Amino acid sequence: MTTSTRILELLGLLQTRRHWGGGELAGRLGVSQRTLRRDVDGLQELGYPVITTRGTGGGYQLGAGAALPPLVLNEDEAAATVMGLKGVATGNHAVPADAAISAMAKIVQVLPARIRGRISSLATVAAEAGNEGATLTDVTALTTVALACRDSDTLTFAYESNRSPRSLRAAQPHKVVTVENRLYLVAWDIDRGDWRTFRVDRITDPRRTGKRFAPRHLPIDDPVDYVRSQLGSMPARYRVHATVHAPAERVREEIAHYGVVESRDDDSCDLFLAAESLDWAAFCLCAIDAPFIVHGPHEAIEHLRQWADRLRNASNATKRPEPTRGRRP
């Protein structure tokens, strides 16, 4: 391995963990600790903020920088890069959202405080002008949460939902995932002794405590599937009950865990949707492309009638009288 290749690998390792012991890091690189110290000195000369601690428990970590590392990016380019990654993390793109969050965390942690503040202010502007439903969140807060997940570091933060007042939470963060253009933190809530799902845009003042923990196993292996299952069971303004004339397995796949499906027979099932919007519930039912009957609540039945009337009127409006056949007078 050449020196330049080894230094790049060293930089990559420093970005994957909050702190590395000197012996462990040298072992991963296959070099002596003397060579490791020389490589670290080389990174520091290039402007990378590598923090060195000596004595028992000493080692190396990548700190927040006083200047941009030599990519080289100016302030506008750094802001554009982070905001672009943030868009990937909160939208539907070919690049995985996990990769965007990880890359953003690596970049933001070495940016000077001035530029981090500028990016956060840009996020606020974008949130005001963005499309409804797309969630943009404070970049520094998101980075703190993502790095805590990476390092298995206990997190404290304030949280306020649309159904509960602001409260202080202590949690063992597991994963940040994107579901329907929103970022969610999956974490073990220490005070409640159970798994919880938090919207990242409702998390404020997140702080890493430095208390490491052994990662737990989620009840569902895929964190995205877990969040979707939780969203389907959360309290909602409407609980829409419908019978769908389609196999239960097909309906489960099409609603993507946003409701509870109970099989009636091979060709029909009961669907219970948790919805804040009746328009959203109506869209989900119509998108299944199968006959259905809505049993309740009354507001949902009336809302579907109004949808049917609008669609019927739209269809009638497009009909034109057929031309009269016969000889001209």
Side-chain angles (χ1 to χ4, degrees):
M1 183 186 297
T2 65
T3 301
S4 58
T5 301
R6 189 178 65 245
I7 289 178
L8 286 175
E9 185 175 350
L10 168 60
L11 183 59
L13 289 171
L14 288 171
Q15 291 177 324
T16 61
R17 189 186 295 182
R18 185 181 184 186
H19 180 271
W20 282 91
E24 184 181 7
L25 189 54
R28 287 290 296 269
L29 293 169
V31 299
S32 67
Q33 293 208 41
R34 180 179 180 181
T35 299
L36 173 61
R37 286 194 294 271
R38 187 166 60 245
D39 290 346
V40 168
D41 289 342
L43 284 176
Q44 290 172 333
E45 290 174 3
L46 289 171
Y48 287 94
V50 183
I51 299 172
T52 302
T53 54
R54 302 189 183 280
T56 304
Y60 304 93
Q61 69 183 74
L62 197 60
L68 282 173
L71 286 172
V72 174
L73 298 178
N74 61 32
E75 291 189 23
D76 288 337
E77 291 168 338
T81 300
V82 174
M83 293 303 292
L85 289 169
K86 195 155 179 284
V88 173
T90 55
N92 296 317
H93 299 272
V95 179
D98 281 1
I101 293 171
S102 175
M104 183 169 58
K106 289 178 180 180
I107 293 173
V108 171
Q109 69 175 327
V110 296
L111 291 179
R114 180 187 69 258
I115 302 180
R116 289 201 303 270
R118 178 180 177 184
I119 293 170
S120 292
S121 67
L122 285 173
T124 301
V125 174
E128 292 172 354
N131 295 330
E132 184 178 357
T135 299
L136 292 172
T137 192
D138 179 79
V139 171
T140 303
L142 175 57
T143 300
T144 300
V145 172
L147 292 175
C149 292
R150 183 196 70 181
D151 297 333
S152 297
D153 192 351
T154 301
L155 197 65
T156 62
F157 53 88
Y159 191 75
E160 183 176 2
S161 71
N162 58 350
R163 292 182 176 274
S164 62
R166 187 173 186 269
S167 61
L168 296 178
R169 315 296 281 266
Q172 296 173 346
H174 179 77
K175 192 79 170 178
V176 176
V177 299
T178 305
V179 176
E180 293 298 313
N181 293 339
R182 293 191 188 279
L183 289 169
Y184 293 90
L185 167 66
V186 179
W188 177 266
D189 191 307
I190 295 174
D191 294 330
R192 291 156 180 78
D194 199 2
W195 289 101
R196 289 291 188 271
T197 298
F198 303 95
R199 272 180 48 175
V200 176
D201 61 312
R202 290 176 175 168
I203 291 176
T204 55
D205 195 26
R207 296 179 183 272
R208 299 172 63 175
T209 66
K211 296 179 181 178
R212 304 290 291 273
F213 61 88
R216 301 171 183 266
H217 292 289
L218 271 176
I220 299 175
D221 289 340
D222 188 336
V224 173
D225 285 345
Y226 177 76
V227 171
R228 285 174 172 164
S229 71
Q230 293 300 104
L231 293 176
S233 62
M234 285 180 178
R237 186 176 180 183
Y238 303 103
R239 301 287 296 187
V240 179
H241 174 206
T243 297
V244 182
H245 295 284
E249 189 60 33
R250 175 191 154 194
V251 174
R252 286 192 188 98
E253 291 178 358
E254 296 203 23
I255 66 168
H257 305 285
Y258 282 111
V260 176
V261 180
E262 297 178 358
S263 179
R264 279 176 166 252
D265 52 45
D266 291 344
D267 299 315
S268 65
C269 59
D270 283 322
L271 171 60
F272 301 87
L273 281 173
E276 292 295 325
S277 163
L278 289 176
D279 279 330
W280 180 85
F283 175 81
C284 283
L285 288 166
C286 293
I288 294 173
D289 191 24
F292 63 87
I293 299 173
V294 177
H295 303 293
H298 174 74
E299 297 96 327
I301 297 172
E302 184 59 32
H303 198 76
L304 263 294
R305 286 195 181 120
Q306 293 173 8
W307 260 51
D309 289 341
R310 289 200 300 270
L311 292 172
R312 192 178 299 110
N313 291 336
S315 175
N316 291 336
T318 61
K319 291 182 179 179
R320 299 180 183 275
E322 295 182 3
T324 303
R325 294 182 180 180
R327 287 188 293 176
R328 294 181 181 178

